[in-house]
């Protein structure tokens, strides 16, 4: 009897009442399904229907917005997705469990007036404290698209996982981008680097093609953040646009880059700029990159790249 009480006491001591728990769910969560939600669209409730795990709102406790759904799927087949940080990504659903968080809600209409809502969400590995750690681990992105009906909103497309972007297990919020006639894609600005910077940026475009959401463009080196004036390092920023076009779908994407260079940091510059500074100590530069869609290959950077240095 004393031995049994000792075991029970040990188990209780290991369980912290503040520790988060997870719920085992059916493997149907990774499959297409029929799902409708009320007319007053609640993205967090919709996400909980997609991933019916254990819901927590830790915002008051943590001091920042932190709503999550903890779950595991012991019967799911796992798959490895790319992490653009190039660190080895674990197979999803993660063996230790998953924490799923809402990122944002994107609204748009087509030419017929049909209204859509696309919710983006982030998967990270389950943590009993609800933490998100590791600078060079991205957040695994997923998307769900709803169309408005007479009774509310009906799930039209669902991609539980696409790829991992960002840092500290959190994907940046995707931004909607009109790339064709009633065709929206979603741009992600990824940025990462060592503690204190500088941070290097890249654009990644997600679009529906061949019946699924997937990455169709990667533009690297589109940003290098400033650190301090004293260090005199090169830095640049960028913007993107989709010019008017006769193309019905997958129109060209233009990225405009402008920045400052110093000869002492020449090695960090894009090659098109580095070869043109010709010994100048410092100055400004601009670049215009055009990405053109090639069927079966996605968007490809066109060369030569328009570059000016002064």
């Amino acid at each position: 009897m004393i031995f049994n009480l000792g075991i029970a006491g040990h188990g209780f001591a290991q369980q912290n009442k503040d520790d988060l728990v997870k719920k085992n769910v059916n493997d149907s969560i990774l499959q297409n399904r029929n799902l409708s939600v009320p007319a007053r669209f609640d993205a967090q409730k919709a996400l909980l229907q997609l991933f019916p795990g254990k819901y927590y709102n830790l915002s008051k406790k943590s001091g920042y917005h932190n709503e999550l759904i903890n779950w595991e799927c012991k019967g799911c087949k796992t798959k490895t997705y790319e992490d653009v940080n190039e660190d080895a990504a674990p197979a999803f659903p993660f063996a230790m469990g998953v924490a799923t968080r809402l990122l944002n809600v994107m609204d748009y209409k087509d030419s017929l007036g049909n209204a859509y809502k696309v919710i983006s969400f982030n998967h990270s590995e389950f943590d009993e404290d609800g933490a998100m750690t590791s600078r060079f681990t991205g957040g695994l992105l997923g998307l769900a698209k709803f169309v408005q009906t007479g009774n509310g909103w009906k799930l039209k497309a669902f991609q539980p996982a696409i790829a991992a972007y960002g840092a500290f297990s959190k994907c940046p919020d995707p931004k909607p981008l009109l790339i064709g006639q009633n065709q929206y894609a979603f741009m992600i600005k990824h940025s990462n680097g060592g503690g204190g910077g500088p941070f290097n940026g890249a654009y990644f475009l997600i679009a529906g093609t061949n019946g699924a959401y997937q990455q169709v463009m990667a533009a690297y080196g589109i940003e290098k953040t400033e650190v301090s004036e004293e260090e005199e390092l090169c830095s640049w920023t960028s913007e993107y646009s989709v010019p008017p076009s006769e193309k019905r779908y997958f129109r060209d994407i233009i990225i405009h880059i402008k920045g400052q260079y110093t000869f002492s940091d020449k090695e960090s510059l894009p090659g098109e700029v580095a070869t043109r500074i010709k010994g100048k100590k410092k100055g400004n530069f601009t670049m215009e990159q055009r990405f053109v869609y090639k069927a079966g290959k996605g968007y490809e950077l066109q060369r030569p790249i328009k570059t000016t240095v002064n």
Side-chain angles (χ1 to χ4, degrees):
M1 180 64 69
I2 295 175
F3 177 74
N4 289 337
L5 286 173
I7 292 177
H10 176 74
F12 178 78
Q14 295 298 312
Q15 182 66 46
N16 187 325
K17 65 182 180 67
D18 293 326
D19 285 350
L20 307 187
V21 298
K22 57 198 172 186
K23 177 182 176 182
N24 186 46
V25 297
N26 191 280
D27 62 359
S28 62
I29 65 163
L30 302 183
Q31 303 168 12
N32 288 324
R33 72 194 87 164
N34 292 320
L35 175 62
S36 295
V37 297
R40 188 171 181 177
F41 190 84
D42 187 315
Q44 186 63 55
K45 289 182 178 179
L47 186 63
L48 188 55
Q49 287 184 264
L50 290 169
F51 299 98
K54 184 69 174 177
Y55 167 78
Y56 291 94
N57 188 343
L58 306 178
S59 300
K60 290 184 180 180
K61 177 181 177 181
S62 61
Y64 61 92
H65 182 76
N66 189 11
E67 284 185 272
L68 64 156
I69 303 167
N70 288 332
W71 57 276
E72 62 181 345
C73 182
K74 297 178 181 178
C76 285
K77 292 183 178 179
T78 61
K79 179 180 176 180
T80 300
Y81 295 86
E82 179 186 7
D83 187 326
V84 300
N85 292 287
E86 298 182 357
D87 280 7
F92 175 82
F94 310 126
M96 298 301 293
V98 183
T100 299
R101 291 171 168 85
L102 178 70
L103 290 175
N104 69 346
V105 183
M106 296 167 280
D107 297 89
Y108 64 89
K109 290 184 177 181
D110 63 21
S111 60
L112 299 177
N114 297 313
Y116 299 91
K117 289 184 181 291
V118 178
I119 65 172
S120 67
F121 44 90
N122 181 94
H123 304 297
S124 58
E125 290 191 273
F126 168 78
D127 186 284
E128 291 178 344
D129 293 327
M132 301 171 76
T133 59
S134 179
R135 174 180 291 279
F136 294 103
T137 298
L140 184 57
L141 171 71
L143 294 172
K145 177 181 177 181
F146 293 82
V147 61
Q148 190 174 37
T149 68
N151 299 318
W153 298 86
K154 182 177 176 60
L155 182 65
K156 187 175 179 64
F158 177 51
Q159 193 75 24
I162 300 169
Y165 307 93
F168 295 107
S169 303
K170 185 180 186 304
C171 178
D173 291 357
K175 305 298 182 185
L177 181 65
L178 185 64
I179 61 170
Q181 183 178 344
N182 296 325
Q183 182 190 21
Y184 277 85
F186 307 98
M187 189 72 85
I188 295 169
K189 183 181 178 182
H190 166 88
S191 184
N192 211 339
F199 304 120
N200 297 302
Y203 289 132
F204 297 96
L205 187 70
I206 309 299
T209 180
N210 298 322
Y213 284 121
Q214 54 188 295
Q215 181 181 302
V216 296
M217 189 190 85
Y220 299 97
I222 55 87
E223 178 184 64
K224 181 174 179 245
T225 61
E226 291 184 284
V227 179
S228 67
E229 294 182 2
E230 290 77 12
E231 294 188 61
E232 292 191 341
L233 299 178
C234 303
S235 63
W236 55 91
T237 59
S238 65
E239 296 179 344
Y240 56 84
S241 62
V242 180
S245 169
E246 295 181 356
K247 293 182 179 181
R248 190 171 182 181
Y249 303 114
F250 293 107
R251 293 168 181 161
D252 296 357
I253 296 174
I254 305 296
I255 298 176
H256 298 276
I257 299 173
K258 62 179 180 179
Q260 300 78 41
Y261 67 84
T262 62
F263 188 81
S264 60
D265 191 29
K266 179 180 177 180
E267 291 75 14
S268 73
L269 289 168
E272 290 80 4
V273 177
T275 57
R276 293 171 181 243
I277 62 176
K278 297 179 180 178
K280 295 180 180 179
K281 290 186 177 181
K282 60 178 61 179
N284 301 311
F285 69 89
T286 63
M287 301 176 67
E288 181 182 290
Q289 299 177 341
R290 178 178 291 268
F291 286 81
V292 177
Y293 186 81
K294 305 291 184 182
K297 297 182 179 180
Y299 278 93
E300 295 183 347
L301 176 61
Q302 303 300 290
R303 297 184 183 277
I305 299 172
K306 294 182 180 178
T307 306
T308 61
V309 175
N310 53 54

